[in-house]
Each structure stands twice: as structure tokens, then as C-alpha cells.
């Protein structure tokens, strides 16, 4: 991913009082397929975060955390589910221009499961 | 000189000079022509209607392959099967967004609905992906190298011109996405 280049205004990081859509159902341990997003040097960090927020309904902090994971580790599992579900997500990601693949989950629960991390992760700096 | 997109009372607005609109229009047209599915002789019209394409193959052009990537990293057969089922509609989704953005280029001032902004961000992203392939941007160092080209008086060959165009599209997309994020924030 590439960093922000616009001299735009600093982003407003207000306290959010709304509740983020629960994604627990997407990350149940017995679900066998993962949606993986791969890093590339073109997609903007802000855009990747926007896609995660708008398409999956993830909170800003969760979206930024996953985006930073893609950026730093080269890939991130951003959703899990049945093969049909993750394939549908993959087409949507390709529509947005993100580099997405699907893969069978291996190694069981835990690890890089795309679950929401602690609060505040990835906050405060975008792009 | 283009003005960055911003979020305000009218929604998301931007401003582009005629030359900038012409440039974007031609970039968008190029990407549309790359994505246009070929009409093949003897193709089953019903299959085409429901989006199936049994004759599809992995694109040979790198830029098209980036727009329509394989869905399974190490499984060509699974990726091909997926293409047969989804590639046609993916091409149509992308062309739809690109056409919507091109239509908005008829006026100096661009006023976008949330849906229009989403189409614009997708269209600009696809334009940038294609330019990046032409510029051979393979890693962050390549991107940084291209990003250093900011002065139009430096445009002396095709590559430097493409780099400047890429940077313009990047700047425009970044300002648009920031406006979209602000708009999402205010609706929460």
C-alpha cells in the first residue's frame, strides 16, 4: 500500500458512541475458509481502510488494524466463513481493486484470525 | 488547477479544469476498453446473460490480470472455475463504475452522492492500478520513486509523463477517500 499524499485536513478522531457491527459470527472457530487481502504498492492505505469499513461494516479501529496488518505483514485474513461467503467477499474486493484470495483455514482457531484486537489499535494515524 | 475533493453541506464536491477532465476521461476510456469482454462467435447467449463464461482464460496482460486477479493463490484450476462464474460480472461492475465517473466529468464542479463517490473511488483505483503496471511499480520503493515526480516541467518522456499522471490520480483519489471517510464519520 502507499501512504497518503493529499495535503488534506487532519482526520477527526472523535469518540465513537455507536456500536460497531458484530463480526463474531464471521470468525467462529469451526468455519473453514478465509478471505485474505494482500499488500500491494498501489492501493492507498486510506482506501483500504474505507473498503473494510464500508463493505464489512468494521469499526474504524478494526479496519485500520487490519489495513496495517496487510501493509506490514504483507497479508491479513479479513473475514472467514463458508466457501461461498468468502468467494462473494473476494469478488466484491476485486470490484474495489483490492488483491484478495480465498484459502482453506488451516491450523484451527487462533492465530491470524482477523478478529478484532484491543481498542485503540491503529488509531490516530491514517495513511 | 484541480481542487481536492471535500466533504461539506452539498456532500462530496470537487473541481477539475477542462484539461484535467479530458485526461481523466481518456484514462477511464482506456481502462474500459481493457475490461470490455469480447463478443465471441457461438457463445451461448443464455450463459452470457447470467454471467457465465466457459471460454474465459487468465488474462495475459499484466494490468488486466491485476484488475481481474486469480482468487486462489496456488490453484489455477480453482481460479479458472471461479473466473467462469464471476469474471463477466466483475468486468461489468468495474465498467459500470468507470462509466458513472466519466459521466460526472461533463461539468467543472463535481458533486457526488455517496454512491457516486464510491464509483469514483473504484474508477480512480482501477486507473491507478493500470498506470502502476505500465510504470512497473512492483514494490514500495518503486512507488516512492514514482511519487517523487511532482513537477510537470520534468515531463520529458513517456515514463515521466505517466508518473505525473499517476501522481495526479493518486492525489485526487486520496482527497476523495478522505472526504468519504469524513462523510461516513458524520453519518455514524
Amino acid at each position: 500500500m502507499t501512504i497518503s499524499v493529499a495535503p488534506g485536513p487532519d482526520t477527526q478522531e472523535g469518540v465513537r458512541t455507536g456500536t460497531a457491527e458484530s463480526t463474531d459470527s464471521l470468525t467462529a472457530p469451526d468455519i473453514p475458509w478465509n478471505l485474505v487481502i494482500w499488500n500491494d504498492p498501489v492501493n492507498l492505505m486510506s482506501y483500504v481502510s474505507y473498503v473494510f469499513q464500508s463493505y464489512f461494516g468494521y469499526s474504524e479501529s478494526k479496519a485500520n488494524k487490519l489495513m496495517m496488518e496487510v501493509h506490514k505483514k504483507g497479508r491479513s485474513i479479513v473475514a472467514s466463513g463458508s466457501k461461498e461467503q468468502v468467494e462473494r467477499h473476494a469478488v466484491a474486493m476485486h470490484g474495489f481493486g483490492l488483491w484478495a484470495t480465498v484459502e482453506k483455514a488451516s491450523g484451527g482457531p487462533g492465530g491470524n484470525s482477523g478478529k478484532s484486537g484491543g481498542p485503540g489499535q491503529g488509531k490516530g494515524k491514517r495513511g | 488547477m484541480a481542487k481536492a475533493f471535500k466533504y461539506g453541506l452539498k456532500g462530496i464536491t470537487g473541481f477539475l479544469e477542462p484539461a484535467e477532465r479530458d485526461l481523466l476521461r481518456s484514462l477511464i476510456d482506456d481502462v474500459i476498453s481493457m475490461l470490455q469482454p469480447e463478443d465471441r462467435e457461438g457463445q451461448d447467449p443464455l450463459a452470457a446473460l447470467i454471467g457465465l463464461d466457459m471460454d474465459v482464460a487468465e488474462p495475459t496482460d499484466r494490468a488486466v490480470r491485476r484488475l481481474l486477479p486469480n482468487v486462489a493463490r496456488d490453484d489455477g484450476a480453482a481460479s479458472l472455475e471461479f473466473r467462469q462464474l464471476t469474471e463477466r460480472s466483475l468486468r461489468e461492475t468495474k465498467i459500470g463504475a468507470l462509466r458513472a465517473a466519466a459521466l460526472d466529468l461533463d461539468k467543472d464542479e463535481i458533486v457526488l452522492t455517496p454512491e457516486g463517490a464510491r464509483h469514483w473511488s473504484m474508477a480512480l483505483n482501477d486507473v491507478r492500478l493500470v498506470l502502476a503496471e505500465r510504470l512497473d511499480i512492483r514494490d514500495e520503493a518503486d512507488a516512492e520513486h514514482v511519487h517523487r515526480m511532482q513537477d510537470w516541467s520534468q515531463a520529458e518522456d513517456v515514463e515521466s509523463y505517466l508518473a505525473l499522471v499517476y501522481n495526479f490520480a493518486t492525489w485526487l483519489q486520496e482527497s476523495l477517500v478522505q472526504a468519504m471517510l469524513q462523510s461516513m464519520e458524520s453519518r455514524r
Side-chain angles (χ1 to χ4, degrees):
Chain A
M1 276 181 281
T2 193
I3 55 164
S4 162
V5 295
D10 286 345
T11 52
Q12 307 272 314
E13 302 278 9
V15 175
R16 182 167 303 112
T17 50
T19 50
E21 192 175 295
S22 169
T23 54
D24 290 349
S25 60
L26 295 177
T27 52
D30 57 341
I31 286 176
W33 284 80
N34 291 331
L35 176 74
V36 180
I37 301 293
W38 298 84
N39 191 33
D40 74 64
V42 178
N43 285 332
L44 295 166
M45 294 166 90
S46 55
Y47 181 65
V48 174
S49 177
Y50 155 76
V51 171
F52 291 169
Q53 290 178 56
S54 68
Y55 176 79
F56 294 108
Y58 291 160
S59 68
E60 183 182 348
S61 65
K62 175 166 182 173
N64 285 346
K65 179 179 172 281
L66 292 172
M67 177 274 287
M68 286 311 293
E69 194 168 275
V70 174
H71 183 59
K72 291 197 172 136
K73 296 187 180 160
R75 54 169 268 161
S76 175
I77 294 168
V78 302
S80 302
S82 69
K83 186 161 186 272
E84 289 70 26
Q85 281 172 327
V86 293
E87 283 183 346
R88 197 168 61 244
H89 294 329
V91 179
M93 293 300 107
H94 293 170
F96 281 108
L98 269 55
W99 183 15
T101 59
V102 303
E103 64 184 32
K104 231 177 208 154
S106 60
N112 177 9
S113 65
K115 278 177 189 158
S116 186
Q121 291 263 8
K123 272 202 102 146
K125 188 164 186 289
R126 184 191 283 134
Chain B
M1 190 70 174
K3 287 184 198 149
F5 280 103
K6 62 178 195 293
Y7 173 64
L9 290 174
K10 282 197 281 184
I12 293 170
T13 55
F15 176 87
L16 294 167
E17 296 286 349
E20 293 162 338
R21 286 185 278 132
D22 289 345
L23 171 64
L24 279 178
R25 201 177 282 116
S26 73
L27 292 169
I28 287 173
D29 285 347
D30 282 350
V31 181
I32 290 175
S33 68
M34 293 166 68
L35 287 168
Q36 208 83 257
E38 322 156 26
D39 272 322
R40 294 193 203 85
E41 293 271 332
Q43 197 182 11
D44 182 345
L46 181 61
L49 195 66
I50 59 172
L52 284 180
D53 187 352
M54 303 317 280
D55 302 322
V56 77
E58 186 177 324
T60 47
D61 182 305
R62 288 187 76 114
V64 181
R65 206 156 61 217
R66 181 59 189 84
L67 295 173
L68 310 166
N70 280 340
V71 78
R73 198 161 162 90
D74 303 308
D75 189 341
S79 289
L80 186 64
E81 190 189 342
F82 192 72
R83 280 184 191 281
Q84 292 170 342
L85 300 172
T86 61
E87 192 184 287
R88 183 171 279 266
S89 73
L90 177 59
R91 284 175 186 265
E92 281 162 6
T93 302
K94 285 179 175 286
I95 290 170
L98 288 155
R99 287 214 175 111
L103 279 177
D104 289 324
L105 288 170
D106 290 342
K107 281 183 273 177
D108 295 344
E109 198 192 11
I110 299 159
V111 182
L112 299 175
T113 61
E115 181 75 351
R118 192 171 60 84
H119 287 145
W120 262 80
S121 69
M122 293 164 83
L124 285 173
N125 206 70
D126 281 350
V127 162
R128 292 181 58 245
L129 286 172
V130 170
L131 287 170
E133 282 300 334
R134 302 295 183 238
L135 282 162
D136 231 16
I137 299 178
R138 298 275 166 258
D139 55 30
E140 319 271 337
D142 295 340
E144 183 51 40
H145 177 74
V146 166
H147 178 57
R148 265 184 247 128
M149 285 286 293
Q150 293 289 349
D151 180 358
W152 283 87
S153 66
Q154 292 175 294
E156 50 204 14
D157 52 26
V158 173
E159 203 198 339
S160 55
Y161 176 76
L162 277 182
L164 288 158
V165 170
Y166 175 81
N167 289 335
F168 170 68
T170 302
W171 170 80
L172 198 60
Q173 191 195 12
E174 179 64 34
S175 83
L176 174 62
V177 174
Q178 292 300 340
M180 291 163 79
L181 287 165
Q182 279 180 39
S183 156
M184 269 190 353
E185 186 76 20
S186 73
R187 276 182 283 139
R188 268 174 172 151

